[in-house]
Amino acid sequence: MANRTLRSLVFLLVMAWGLSARVFAEDGYDLWLRYKPLEDAARAELHKAAQQVAAPGERTPTLQAALDELVRGIDGLAGQAPTIAESAESGAILLVKPDTLPEHLKGKVSFDGLGGDGYRLLSVDGERTLIAANSDIGLLYGSFALLRHLQTGGRLEGLDVSEAPRLQRRMLNHWDNPDRTVERGYAGQSIWDWWKLPDHLDARYTDYARANASIGINGTVLNNVNAKAEMLTARWIAKAAALANVLRPYGIRVYLSARFSAPFELGATETADPLDPAVRNWWAKKADEIYAAIPDFGGFLVKANSEGQPGPQDYGRSHTDGANMLAAAVRPHGGIVLWRAFVYSETDASDRAKQAYAEFKPLDGRFADNVTVQVKNGPIDFQPREPIHPLFGAMPETSVTAEFQITKEYLGFVTHLAYLGPLYEEVLKTDTFRGGAGQTAAKLLMAEPLSGLAGVANIGSDRNWSGSHFDQANWYAFGRLAWDPEASAEDIAREWVAMTFSRDREVIAKVTGMMMASREAVVDYMTPMGLAHLMGTGHHYGPAPWVDDLARPEWNPAYYHRADAGGIGFDRTATGSDAIAQYAAPLAGLYGDRQTVPPEFLLWFHHVGWDETLPSGRTVWAELVHHYDRGVAAVGTMRRTWAGLEGRIDPARFRDVSDFLAIQEKEAIWWRDACLAYFASVSGRALPPGTRPPAHPLSWYQAQQFPYAPGHP
Ligand code: BDP
């Protein structure tokens, strides 16, 4: 009997343990808003200093969201939830605007320089913490900033920090389709459950809004740039409006991608010619209809005359005719048009890297002032590394917004760890020399009348949002850099690790180290030395540098690497396509000269002989092999570093990451082997002595097919 009781007891204990393990298992859903308990002393201190949160004045939905977040965050960090008070006693966190500042603080707290969205965190009277801002959204941002400060080990005492965003529009672009598939999405389905909208609002939408507000994102384009006309019908506007209602308290405006031929396709007009009065009228009425449902609608994002999408050129009109027509439609409502410059044409035989500049530069000064031209960071297409797009700074009379890709279409999808902070930072820090030295892309963007940064989202229905734990960092880093384009990718990684994985200093240092090396590793094992676009056709998964038989020349990897028996690389100097002429003279000089071209762009701008000796002392061929080997080795190092963290990261996420790193190493080796097998066959060079030969003959790599690779439209 006693034995049975004991056995039941043990059984119950095991059950309870299992249950708690499950309850506390980390699945990544909480992102960087985990609010795990602080260490003992800090926890007690916070508990004492934050017993109340108070926000005098009208309790708007935004203010309520800020208070709720503070309660949630402090509850987690301090182990006890503060109460929400009307006035500010001691031991309180107080949210104030100029008109709600308590009497005794009047004249003592400056709101200067905070603008509409900025905030100030300030300790006052030794026992209160102020979150000060000019608007409720500023207070929400300040609340998140305070929680970030606490989550990363900061204290309330002596706090005095002011911040204001340096770009107006900090936007996500979802490439989400009405059927819930996501173009280049690797994190499940679209988070927008279109079918159940507008009647059912998934709780996830609110968590999406919280996460975005926490990093300052204030706009979201709900649907794919390869847009469907139906998105502009009443039925779909209602769905967008329902989402806008959820996002509004968090300061996030909704935008839609617009299909240029929509009026014609929906049967309302005979044409989509932007100069046709009926067409113009349709768009104006459509804008009225949208704004009636979504009063703060942000505007339209348009991909026109690119990759088969309709556009004004179908009617002999220009990009400006098209953009300005839409701009006129949204202007009465304060909306804008984001017109994409990602264009290349099947009828244009010139270097693809030159085509966007060639089409858009002559249009400078002709766009309406509520249009911004959205330019990808590089002249081709979101490659692991590209030089900066020549359009940055080249259109002084036109607003330009930069577009980055957060989803890793060309960087191994979600199973490869590639922290994109360094990629974004590299672009933003590039000196364009437009109008003199020091004109970095970041500075140019910040000076635009309509300033902004757009990121192609990596968010989906997967429990962990981004398909992998580490890919959350790319969403986070994008937001932080959109807030401050001059922030450091490494600092951002460090704060993300502290909030996402652990506050242990050694863990932070090791994981940050992995992240900071990760993108370069991908460059090395995929497309080193300035190579680009060697990925498999269509899905862009895995290596396929040999492909040279696709209908359009610029779809072929062989078009980009130009390897032959003599050498490798794309001559974009004056002897070749002369793409360098599109850059400001100092940059053109730097890139165009074999002696000064940065080594990471050598093969982007130059065709070089296999046997040429580089400053490293290696020949071009040996250098290529060296990079591929270095990339594979770097993944091995990441795996070992991660393995060493076992027990210091929660088991579920530890295992997920371990599995993905194993996949990455396998695929890095595959990339290296396939590319070396191919380039050896083209160059006729033998691998340098001591180099491991590819595991299979070239034909084996060429035979691999992936009809079910994800994210492919
Ligand atoms: C490319 C993608 C394609 C997108 C296109 C775009 O492969 O799916 O539609 O960019 O940005 O990178 O429009």
Side-chain angles (χ1 to χ4, degrees):
M1 189 64 204
N3 236 343
R4 268 177 64 185
T5 316
L6 194 69
R7 257 196 313 229
S8 322
L9 202 70
V10 169
F11 175 75
L12 278 176
L13 279 172
V14 168
M15 284 290 288
W17 176 82
L19 209 63
S20 66
R22 214 167 315 144
V23 169
F24 294 116
E26 300 235 21
D27 56 16
Y29 184 84
D30 290 339
L31 297 160
W32 47 88
L33 305 173
R34 283 162 67 249
Y35 308 131
K36 288 289 155 211
L38 296 172
E39 296 62 37
D40 289 346
R43 195 165 67 228
E45 187 180 295
L46 179 63
H47 180 201
K48 190 152 160 278
Q51 307 210 338
Q52 298 171 338
V53 289
E58 193 201 335
R59 190 70 58 79
T60 62
T62 300
L63 214 45
Q64 189 63 49
L67 290 169
D68 290 346
E69 195 70 31
L70 286 167
V71 169
R72 178 202 289 252
I74 293 164
D75 186 17
L77 292 163
Q80 188 155 337
T83 54
I84 298 183
E86 285 311 315
S87 66
E89 308 296 327
S90 62
I93 294 176
L94 178 60
L95 282 66
V96 288
K97 291 179 288 188
D99 61 337
T100 58
L101 196 64
E103 257 331 294
H104 80 284
L105 290 174
K106 290 234 158 91
K108 291 194 197 148
V109 180
S110 156
F111 293 76
D112 289 354
L114 301 184
D117 285 358
Y119 58 80
R120 185 158 179 210
L121 308 178
L122 185 69
S123 307
V124 287
D125 312 337
E127 52 191 13
R128 252 173 289 212
T129 306
L130 286 194
I131 302 176
N134 289 313
S135 70
D136 289 347
I137 290 299
L139 292 177
L140 180 66
Y141 288 158
S143 302
F144 277 114
L146 183 71
L147 291 168
R148 177 166 58 240
H149 174 75
L150 294 168
Q151 281 209 88
T152 51
R155 302 179 53 196
L156 292 182
E157 207 185 295
L159 194 58
D160 186 0
V161 185
S162 293
E163 280 219 22
R166 302 175 79 188
L167 294 174
Q168 295 155 13
R169 285 182 184 71
R170 309 173 292 275
M171 309 187 40
L172 289 181
N173 289 185
H174 287 264
W175 285 359
D176 295 15
N177 297 314
D179 64 1
R180 252 190 125 170
T181 56
V182 181
E183 181 148 347
R184 310 309 177 181
Y186 313 99
Q189 292 185 290
S190 167
I191 54 161
W192 317 130
D193 191 349
W194 295 115
W195 191 251
K196 300 195 191 90
L197 281 164
D199 302 313
H200 172 66
L201 297 170
D202 195 315
R204 233 178 204 236
Y205 305 151
T206 307
D207 288 331
Y208 167 90
R210 288 174 52 234
N212 279 314
S214 79
I215 49 177
I217 300 280
N218 66 356
T220 184
V221 182
L222 299 177
N223 62 316
N224 193 354
V225 287
N226 298 321
K228 297 276 189 243
E230 287 82 358
M231 292 300 301
L232 298 175
T233 58
R235 183 174 144 83
W236 286 84
I237 291 170
K239 295 172 192 284
L243 289 172
N245 290 341
V246 178
L247 305 182
R248 186 169 300 113
Y250 297 86
I252 302 166
R253 283 181 176 213
V254 155
Y255 298 68
L256 288 173
S257 292
R259 183 160 171 89
F260 197 77
S261 53
F264 169 71
E265 277 185 50
L266 296 174
T269 57
E270 304 283 300
T271 168
D273 181 345
L275 299 192
D276 182 287
V279 172
R280 298 179 74 83
N281 188 48
W282 186 87
W283 282 107
K285 288 273 151 27
K286 188 49 72 180
D288 294 346
E289 181 188 346
I290 295 173
Y291 278 93
I294 312 174
D296 56 351
F297 179 65
F300 294 123
L301 171 66
V302 188
K303 170 176 178 179
N305 294 120
S306 163
E307 297 187 327
Q309 293 301 308
Q313 293 172 349
D314 303 347
Y315 307 93
R317 314 296 185 193
S318 67
H319 285 292
T320 39
D321 292 331
N324 293 349
M325 172 193 61
L326 294 176
V330 294
R331 175 186 298 282
H333 310 280
I336 67 158
V337 171
L338 300 125
W339 193 266
R340 296 177 86 226
F342 176 68
V343 295
Y344 60 98
S345 145
E346 65 263 40
T347 52
D348 187 341
S350 72
D351 178 1
R352 174 173 166 188
K354 292 172 65 176
Q355 293 183 23
Y357 179 100
E359 270 195 53
F360 277 80
K361 168 81 180 155
L363 302 176
D364 187 27
R366 292 173 48 196
F367 286 97
D369 62 6
N370 60 333
V371 174
T372 172
V373 173
Q374 188 163 305
V375 181
K376 287 190 184 185
N377 60 271
I380 299 286
D381 191 4
F382 298 141
Q383 295 303 298
R385 172 171 279 127
E386 290 186 43
I388 193 154
H389 201 297
L391 271 177
F392 288 108
M395 300 178 75
E397 305 301 323
T398 307
S399 272
V400 168
T401 293
E403 179 181 309
F404 291 163
Q405 199 176 44
I406 308 172
T407 189
K408 305 205 316 296
E409 173 183 356
Y410 293 101
L411 288 99
F413 305 173
V414 293
T415 45
H416 292 213
L417 197 173
Y419 171 52
L420 301 180
L423 188 164
Y424 304 153
E425 185 179 38
E426 178 177 302
V427 174
L428 291 165
K429 279 197 168 151
T430 301
D431 193 344
T432 64
F433 292 94
R434 297 284 184 190
Q439 291 290 6
T440 62
K443 292 216 156 45
L444 290 172
L445 288 173
M446 293 190 293
E448 294 292 3
L450 296 179
S451 64
L453 193 62
V456 179
N458 65 350
I459 299 162
S461 61
D462 276 7
R463 181 71 192 158
N464 66 18
W465 300 88
S466 300
S468 91
H469 299 297
F470 271 100
D471 280 342
Q472 298 177 352
N474 294 330
W475 173 11
Y476 183 82
F478 170 79
R480 298 288 283 143
L481 285 164
W483 179 273
D484 178 6
E486 294 189 321
S488 133
E490 184 162 1
D491 289 350
I492 293 171
R494 215 175 283 120
E495 71 185 23
W496 178 81
V497 177
M499 293 189 287
T500 306
F501 281 122
S502 167
R503 275 188 290 265
D504 178 304
R505 276 176 193 225
E506 200 188 326
V507 175
I508 295 174
K510 290 203 162 141
V511 177
T512 304
M514 286 171 64
M515 289 168 72
M516 290 306 292
S518 60
R519 180 266 190 148
E520 201 61 41
V522 175
V523 171
D524 274 340
Y525 64 70
M526 285 190 185
T527 52
M529 296 172 73
L531 291 174
H533 225 303
L534 307 186
M535 295 80 189
T537 304
H539 49 60
H540 299 154
Y541 171 70
W546 46 81
V547 172
D548 63 356
D549 58 355
L550 302 177
R552 281 169 61 167
E554 74 284 349
W555 284 351
N556 292 290
Y559 170 91
Y560 296 96
H561 63 66
R562 312 221 153 182
D564 53 27
I568 181 170
F570 199 132
D571 182 3
R572 293 191 161 104
T573 69
T575 55
S577 80
D578 205 21
I580 55 152
Q582 295 182 337
Y583 291 98
L587 211 49
L590 187 80
Y591 292 158
D593 185 341
R594 275 285 285 107
Q595 301 314 310
T596 57
V597 63
E600 64 273 22
F601 294 132
L602 177 64
L603 304 180
W604 185 281
F605 289 111
H606 299 269
H607 186 81
V608 289
W610 292 111
D611 302 321
E612 239 188 74
T613 304
L614 297 171
S616 64
R618 286 182 281 268
T619 64
V620 168
W621 170 235
E623 186 73 21
L624 196 67
V625 175
H626 170 73
H627 278 271
Y628 277 108
D629 277 333
R630 195 172 75 174
V632 171
V635 181
T637 304
M638 289 203 286
R639 272 189 88 181
R640 280 190 298 280
T641 306
W642 188 255
L645 295 173
E646 182 156 21
R648 301 171 80 177
I649 306 279
D650 53 285
R653 290 190 300 168
F654 178 81
R655 202 175 41 246
D656 287 347
V657 172
S658 302
D659 288 353
F660 283 15
L661 285 169
I663 295 172
Q664 185 174 9
E665 185 165 44
K666 192 167 70 185
E667 295 187 351
I669 293 169
W670 166 40
W671 262 96
R672 171 219 181 256
D673 286 6
C675 290
L676 291 184
Y678 169 70
F679 288 126
S681 79
V682 177
S683 69
R685 305 293 187 282
L687 289 169
T691 307
R692 182 181 61 75
H696 303 281
L698 177 58
S699 55
W700 186 90
Y701 298 103
Q702 290 171 323
Q704 303 304 307
Q705 298 289 331
F706 305 97
Y708 305 114
H712 186 210

